[in-house]
Amino acid sequence: DVKVTQSSRYLVKRTGEKVFLECVQDMDHENMFWYRQDPGLGLRLIYFSYDVKMKEKGDIPEGYSVSREKKERFSLILESASTNQTSMYLCASNELTGYTFGSGTRLTVV
Amino acid sequence: AQKVTQAQTEISVVEKEDVTLDCVYETRDTTYYLFWYKQPPSGELVFLIRRNSFDEQNEISGRYSWNFQKSTSSFNFTITASQVVDSAVYFCAPEEDDKIIFGKGTRLHILP
């Protein structure tokens, strides 16, 4: 089975800090995604990547950037964390058969 | 742009009742995939089904069934004889351009 691992389950950061959320998948998938989930809003796509060093903006990229230096790793970066970025962040990878999600990182910005 | 409407924000039913979760989507593609995911209280997203838009046959998997109507852009999900373990948030998600876009989800409560 494909495994998508997010390095932290819970994270608390201060306003203005630079935050890295890491995601690693172990099945050589080309495509990787970052979503955030907020109550009543479902999952919204932040960024995605179809290959190493490639990135595409999703629906809500403002305040975020990403890095894909290796195929298996897709990092989400909050350059200067703000309280409105407090959320659950979910990473996913996919190939022909479907999508696999990590267990999520619950980020609180104080 | 894609749009997904899950009109039911929250549903409560008594155990053993049948329940249908509605999903209506918009897409510009003629060929696409549709997904349903379950998110139990533990938070992980559990894959339920992936359906190609070419295939309009209804799908049944145990107590779960899906009704896909391309003409009305709907992909409804029915749980038969619901159980408490079915309590979760359920997301409908069409895929377009190799990425899936989620609806806001329907929170389902199965009451014992």
Side-chain angles (χ1 to χ4, degrees):
Chain A
D1 281 350
V2 176
K3 194 170 179 183
V4 177
T5 304
Q6 293 183 233
S7 53
S8 303
R9 188 78 173 101
Y10 297 94
L11 213 50
V12 179
K13 295 292 181 180
R14 294 193 182 278
T15 301
E17 274 193 75
K18 189 169 186 175
V19 181
F20 292 86
L21 302 184
E22 304 290 348
C23 175
V24 177
Q25 50 97 358
D26 64 0
M27 284 297 290
D28 204 37
H29 283 177
E30 302 281 343
N31 305 333
M32 297 187 73
F33 306 82
W34 275 105
Y35 293 85
R36 67 176 278 178
Q37 183 177 12
D38 301 287
L41 297 178
L43 280 79
R44 293 177 292 167
L45 182 62
I46 306 171
Y47 266 98
F48 57 103
S49 169
Y50 290 151
D51 204 347
V52 175
K53 298 204 185 286
M54 291 183 65
K55 59 184 178 183
E56 299 281 346
K57 292 180 180 178
D59 297 319
I60 52 162
E62 296 78 20
Y64 303 95
S65 62
V66 289
S67 173
R68 185 111 182 257
E69 295 297 318
K70 293 185 178 180
K71 195 173 190 179
E72 67 271 18
R73 185 181 296 270
F74 190 36
S75 304
L76 180 68
I77 304 159
L78 288 65
E79 295 290 341
S80 178
S82 63
T83 54
N84 63 12
Q85 292 177 310
T86 291
S87 187
M88 170 69 86
Y89 290 87
L90 288 150
C91 175
S93 72
N94 93 306
E95 260 197 2
L96 296 175
T97 52
Y99 293 73
T100 302
F101 285 83
S103 2
T105 296
R106 186 165 292 283
L107 172 67
T108 302
V109 182
V110 297
Chain B
Q2 278 183 342
K3 187 177 175 184
V4 184
T5 302
Q6 294 183 253
Q8 305 136 311
T9 305
E10 201 158 347
I11 302 175
S12 294
V13 300
V14 177
E15 197 173 18
K16 297 184 185 174
E17 287 185 358
D18 300 347
V19 59
T20 295
L21 310 183
D22 298 332
C23 173
V24 175
Y25 61 90
E26 296 175 21
T27 179
R28 62 178 180 271
D29 284 354
T30 53
T31 304
Y32 48 91
Y33 286 98
L34 297 163
F35 295 78
W36 274 92
Y37 280 86
K38 172 183 179 180
Q39 189 176 43
S42 54
E44 77 275 19
L45 276 165
V46 178
F47 167 81
L48 295 178
I49 189 171
R50 174 180 183 250
R51 169 50 55 92
N52 188 313
S53 58
F54 280 157
D55 183 1
E56 294 203 53
Q57 280 193 328
N58 289 335
E59 175 112 6
I60 298 174
S61 176
R63 296 184 297 107
Y64 295 169
S65 62
W66 289 268
N67 181 274
F68 174 45
Q69 298 282 341
K70 195 170 183 179
S71 59
T72 56
S73 296
S74 67
F75 188 40
N76 297 337
F77 171 38
T78 297
I79 302 174
T80 303
S82 61
Q83 300 176 2
V84 172
V85 293
D86 296 327
S87 296
V89 181
Y90 290 86
F91 292 98
C92 175
E95 182 189 54
E96 193 173 75
D97 297 332
D98 289 325
K99 59 185 186 292
I100 53 174
I101 303 298
F102 286 84
K104 294 183 179 180
T106 297
R107 184 174 296 277
L108 177 63
H109 302 277
I110 308 298
L111 308 172

